[in-house]
Amino acid sequence: MAEGVYQVAIDGPAASGKSTTARLVAGDLGIQYLDTGAMYRALTLDVLRHGHAPTDPTAVLERLSRLELDWREDRVWLGEEDPGEAIRSNEVSVRMGPICAMPAVREWMVDLQRRLGQRQSTVLDGRDIGTVVFPQARFKFFLVADLAERARRRQRELEARGQQHTLQALMDELERRDLSDASRSTGPLRQAEDAILVDTTTLGLEEQAALIIKQVRLVLTREAFCD
Ligand code: DC
């Protein structure tokens, strides 16, 4: 790894505010942001577009072998296509669980994420960054929030895109995803022992980002003085 390059791992359950926080932190520190969930979403979109079932490992691995997945300009690319909001559709969200649990898929994604995150200092958000992708990351945070609060955040996000969902339906879906993320045998959602736990239930996005930025800057400044 190049000297001076560091990683900030931000893990946690769905709708805990990871991606917006990670973007704000990366912007403030002037380093790369990598949304690893977007990568699993892009593969799922590709599998669905080709008419395959996400539960069919042969079909998923066949698509994976042809996947031209890249990360440029702060977003995921499928070859020359920017899939945009299509990766965040409800269909992708509810059907991606089996794909995320396939060991060969995780191995492929982790390898790409390491290559992208080693080239330059990077903030990565996901489920297994501090435990699997970069267990040696200099900074690790684990974001959590109450289920009802996460469902309210998701509801506001979907409303802004013109989609109406009841709070109960969103709580059920988040609970299902939490369970699926935490119970898979490869790369499950788990707090790394050395990660700092941040409960975001009563925090705004700016506040939780500021907390992380403060911690990172404190350590970087201290290290600069000791060098
Ligand atoms: O962060 P997100 O909600 O966009 O993630 C979408 C899905 O991808 C989520 O259900 C879990 C999965 N995921 C994963 O398995 N490993 C990661 N490092 C990031 C996301």
Side-chain angles (χ1 to χ4, degrees):
M1 200 177 310
E3 209 188 324
V5 168
Y6 63 91
Q7 289 84 28
V8 181
I10 302 185
D11 290 305
S16 54
K18 295 181 306 296
S19 50
T20 314
T21 304
R23 248 181 224 284
L24 290 170
V25 172
D28 186 274
L29 297 171
I31 63 176
Q32 173 175 241
Y33 163 59
L34 193 61
D35 176 353
T36 63
M39 297 180 167
Y40 290 93
R41 287 176 178 277
L43 169 62
T44 306
L45 178 68
D46 179 83
V47 167
L48 295 175
R49 276 178 175 174
H50 285 83
H52 300 304
T55 45
D56 176 353
T58 311
V60 172
L61 296 188
E62 195 265 333
R63 289 312 312 160
L64 185 67
S65 70
R66 294 163 190 270
L67 201 70
E68 290 180 51
L69 191 66
D70 198 8
W71 182 266
R72 301 190 302 272
E73 299 160 42
D74 272 354
R75 54 188 187 275
V76 77
W77 292 80
L78 285 170
E80 289 310 308
E81 183 203 347
D82 168 6
E85 286 300 301
I87 60 167
R88 312 214 173 261
S89 74
N90 204 42
E91 192 188 8
V92 168
S93 298
V94 288
R95 299 191 68 192
M96 63 189 301
I99 293 182
C100 296
M102 290 177 194
V105 167
R106 300 207 71 85
E107 202 178 307
W108 193 98
M109 292 287 178
V110 167
D111 180 62
L112 178 60
Q113 290 157 14
R114 283 188 183 143
R115 278 187 281 126
L116 291 166
Q118 266 166 5
R119 293 203 292 234
Q120 52 183 303
S121 293
T122 304
V123 180
L124 301 96
D125 87 271
R127 305 293 189 284
D128 57 344
I129 309 303
T131 50
V132 177
V133 184
F134 284 109
Q136 308 304 331
R138 184 110 55 98
F139 304 98
K140 295 184 188 180
F141 299 90
F142 195 81
L143 268 50
V144 293
D146 282 355
L147 181 64
E149 174 58 22
R150 289 192 284 137
R152 275 192 290 275
R153 289 177 188 172
R154 184 51 45 93
Q155 193 179 41
R156 283 198 293 269
E157 202 180 297
L158 291 168
E159 260 170 23
R161 283 194 246 145
Q163 300 172 33
Q164 308 293 330
H165 294 265
T166 66
L167 211 55
Q168 190 57 53
L170 292 172
M171 281 171 64
D172 291 347
E173 194 208 313
L174 285 173
E175 242 181 341
R176 226 180 5 255
R177 278 179 61 195
D178 286 353
L179 187 68
S180 143
D181 284 343
S183 60
R184 64 173 165 251
S185 51
T186 317
L189 168 69
R190 191 165 57 76
Q191 181 182 350
E193 276 175 20
D194 51 351
I196 297 175
L197 181 69
V198 183
D199 187 337
T200 72
T201 307
T202 59
L203 296 179
L205 288 167
E206 301 280 345
E207 278 177 303
Q208 62 204 48
L211 209 132
I212 293 176
I213 292 162
K214 192 174 160 194
Q215 177 69 21
V216 173
R217 286 198 181 278
L218 192 77
V219 174
L220 291 178
T221 309
R222 200 185 301 145
E223 283 178 2
F225 270 111
C226 293
D227 274 354

